[in-house]
Amino acid sequence: MTQTHLPAGRPEAQDSDAEDWRRRSEAGRRKAEEARAGAERRREAAEVERAAGFQRQVEAEGARLIAEEGRITGEVQRQDAEETRGLNEEARRCAETARLAAEEARFAEEQARRIHESTRRFAEEARLHAEQARADAERCRAVNEEQRQILDEMRETIRRYEALLAGSG
C-alpha cells in the first residue's frame, strides 16, 4: 500500500488533507460502486438479452420442427394419395378385366346356346331322317315282300304251265 506523507507540523493542513483524501476516497468508492452497479446492470441486461435470444432460438427451432412435421405429414399424405390412386387404378383394371370376362362369358353362353339350338335342330332333323329312313325301309320291305309274292306267284304259274305242258306233251 502506498503511504501518503502528510506535511508535519500543521494540524489544520493535516485535517484539510485528510478530509480531501477522504473525499477523494469516497468519490473513488462511489465511482467504483457506480461502475460495479453499471456492470451489474449491463450483466443483467446481457443476461436478459441472452435469455431472449435463447427463447427466439427455441421458438425458431420449434417453428422449424413444426414445418418439418408439416412437410413429413404432407409427404405421407402425398404417398397415401399416390397409393390410393394406385389402388384405384388397380381396382379399375380389375373391374375392366371382370367386365371383359363377363362379356366373354356372355358371348360363350350365347355361342353355347346357339350350338345347343343347332344341335337340337340337327337332332330333330336326324330323327326326322331316321323316321323317313325307317318309313323308306318299311316301304322297301313291303315292296320286296310284294315282289317276292309276285315272284312266288310267277313261279307257281310257271310250274303250272310246265305241268300243263308236260301233261299235254
Side-chain angles (χ1 to χ4, degrees):
M1 191 177 230
T2 310
Q3 212 172 6
T4 309
H5 296 284
L6 296 175
R10 294 190 329 198
E12 54 287 324
Q14 284 181 354
D15 285 344
S16 165
D17 286 341
E19 184 64 29
D20 193 33
W21 183 79
R22 190 187 57 71
R23 275 191 301 241
R24 282 195 306 264
S25 280
E26 190 62 36
R29 273 196 296 274
R30 273 196 311 273
K31 282 182 185 177
E33 186 61 33
E34 287 173 4
R36 190 194 59 73
E40 183 66 24
R41 283 191 302 276
R42 286 190 299 277
R43 188 192 64 72
E44 286 174 1
E47 184 64 25
V48 167
E49 183 58 33
R50 188 195 65 75
F54 181 75
Q55 185 61 33
R56 284 191 300 271
Q57 188 178 7
V58 166
E59 289 170 359
E61 183 64 15
R64 188 194 66 75
L65 289 175
I66 289 171
E68 182 66 14
E69 287 175 3
R71 186 194 64 76
I72 289 170
T73 301
E75 181 65 20
V76 167
Q77 289 173 342
R78 186 196 63 74
Q79 287 174 352
D80 287 348
E82 184 64 25
E83 286 177 19
T84 300
R85 189 197 62 73
L87 291 173
N88 287 343
E89 183 63 23
E90 183 65 25
R92 187 197 61 74
R93 281 195 301 270
C94 287
E96 182 64 17
T97 301
R99 186 191 66 74
L100 290 173
E103 193 172 306
E104 287 176 8
R106 280 192 297 276
F107 177 75
E109 186 179 308
E110 181 62 24
Q111 194 173 17
R113 187 191 62 72
R114 281 192 222 118
I115 290 171
H116 177 72
E117 185 63 29
S118 295
T119 303
R120 191 191 60 71
R121 272 197 321 270
F122 290 143
E124 183 64 22
E125 288 175 11
R127 188 188 63 74
L128 290 174
H129 286 303
E131 209 172 277
Q132 183 67 39
R134 276 194 294 277
D136 289 347
E138 189 59 38
R139 276 194 301 275
C140 283
R141 276 193 291 277
V143 167
N144 283 343
E145 183 60 30
E146 194 176 303
Q147 286 177 349
R148 191 184 60 72
Q149 285 177 358
I150 291 172
L151 281 175
D152 283 346
E153 287 175 7
M154 287 174 70
R155 282 188 196 122
E156 187 59 35
T157 303
I158 290 174
R159 257 185 259 145
R160 271 189 266 142
Y161 280 136
E162 286 177 349
L164 279 174
L165 278 177
S168 56

